[in-house]
Amino acid sequence: MFLRVVSAFSCLSAIYGLVQYFDVDFVSWSKTGEVFSVYGNSNFASAAFCLGASTSICTLGLFRRKEKFFEIYFNLANFLLLIFVTIQTKSIQGILGIAVSFVVLSILLIRNRYFSVGMTLFGLMTLLSSILLLGFYGRGPLGTMIVQYTLILRREYWLAGIRMGFDHFFWGVGYDSYGDYFQLYRSDLVTEMTSVGLTTNNAHNPFIQLFSTLGLVGVLPLMV
């Protein structure tokens, strides 16, 4: 049921993304020329489309029933539509997420028939994924080839938030005060990458954001 609900709502947001792609949007947003549906940001939209595509392909691969033709065709059409709008966001994270979901689902299906083969593929996927992830952060054998500047910067946002949280362990630095403390807790690498004046008001991670601003008291409910 959960997968069906996510697929249905993702279809609606994908259709609105299609409206933006064809430049017939009926809402006057502050930004134009982007496919972001109702998420306000193409990166957020890419991640949301990825979630919808993943649930659709999982419904097809794991939970389909021969007698439910409408559900099969709906999820297939929804999957293809979501892939299209994900590509149109021009954000790589959604495309990578869909690829990972497809590979994981394929391995699960193979493992159900050939356990040893499936586990071998899972091990290879884990190894390759680790190499790719390290490469995006400028580490490992692919570090100089696929390094992502924005991911390195985001990692520094996370580290600054973690430092804030541990220095103000129980109560944090104060609600919505991450930006007030960022320059104090950022590393020298941030200054070298950007400038002295760079600041941000969000750690770009909900757990770290709550830990840094509200401490243990704030992050525990989210973890639970």
Side-chain angles (χ1 to χ4, degrees):
M1 177 59 72
F2 173 74
L3 294 180
R4 293 189 182 98
V5 170
V6 173
S7 295
F9 277 99
S10 65
C11 181
L12 294 174
S13 63
I15 291 173
Y16 189 41
L18 205 60
V19 168
Q20 292 175 331
Y21 172 75
F22 287 111
D23 198 23
V24 289
D25 198 345
F26 47 84
V27 178
S28 299
W29 297 94
S30 59
K31 57 178 70 176
T32 57
E34 288 186 37
V35 174
F36 55 86
S37 189
V38 294
Y39 302 103
N41 180 290
S42 57
N43 290 322
F44 296 159
S46 178
F49 292 153
C50 165
L51 178 63
S54 300
T55 55
S56 292
I57 197 65
C58 282
T59 303
L60 277 172
L62 296 177
F63 302 105
R64 71 168 182 256
R65 297 290 183 271
K66 290 182 179 180
E67 65 273 13
K68 295 184 177 180
F69 293 108
F70 172 77
E71 186 171 355
I72 292 173
Y73 289 124
F74 168 78
N75 281 290
L76 179 59
N78 194 38
F79 176 68
L80 295 175
L81 173 61
L82 285 160
I83 287 180
F84 178 77
V85 290
T86 300
I87 293 172
Q88 299 311 315
T89 63
K90 298 179 175 60
S91 176
I92 193 172
Q93 62 191 39
I95 299 171
L96 283 174
I98 292 173
V100 169
S101 299
F102 188 80
V103 171
V104 169
L105 177 62
S106 300
I107 290 174
L108 287 173
L109 293 174
I110 292 172
R111 193 194 65 171
N112 288 340
R113 284 178 171 267
Y114 311 101
F115 182 79
S116 57
V117 175
M119 293 307 295
T120 301
L121 290 174
F122 176 76
L124 288 173
M125 188 201 73
T126 302
L127 177 62
L128 291 174
S129 299
S130 300
I131 292 173
L132 280 172
L133 184 61
L134 287 171
F136 288 143
Y137 284 99
R139 301 281 191 266
L142 300 179
T144 58
M145 300 169 57
I146 62 173
V147 59
Q148 297 290 310
Y149 166 84
T150 54
L151 285 181
I152 295 177
L153 196 57
R154 184 163 296 190
R155 179 192 65 194
E156 294 302 316
Y157 294 163
W158 297 348
L159 291 174
I162 291 171
R163 294 187 193 104
M164 292 180 206
F166 278 109
D167 274 3
H168 304 81
F169 190 73
F170 291 104
W171 310 109
V173 296
Y175 180 74
D176 206 24
S177 296
Y178 176 93
D180 299 329
Y181 286 81
F182 173 72
Q183 291 188 334
L184 178 63
Y185 282 93
R186 68 185 181 186
S187 69
D188 293 337
L189 179 61
V190 177
T191 307
E192 295 171 6
M193 291 176 61
T194 57
S195 66
V196 176
L198 176 74
T199 188
T200 177
N201 61 5
N202 195 288
H204 295 273
N205 180 297
F207 294 96
I208 296 176
Q209 177 72 12
L210 278 178
F211 181 52
S212 63
T213 56
L214 298 178
L216 186 65
V217 173
V219 79
L220 269 180
L222 179 60
M223 293 176 67
V224 171

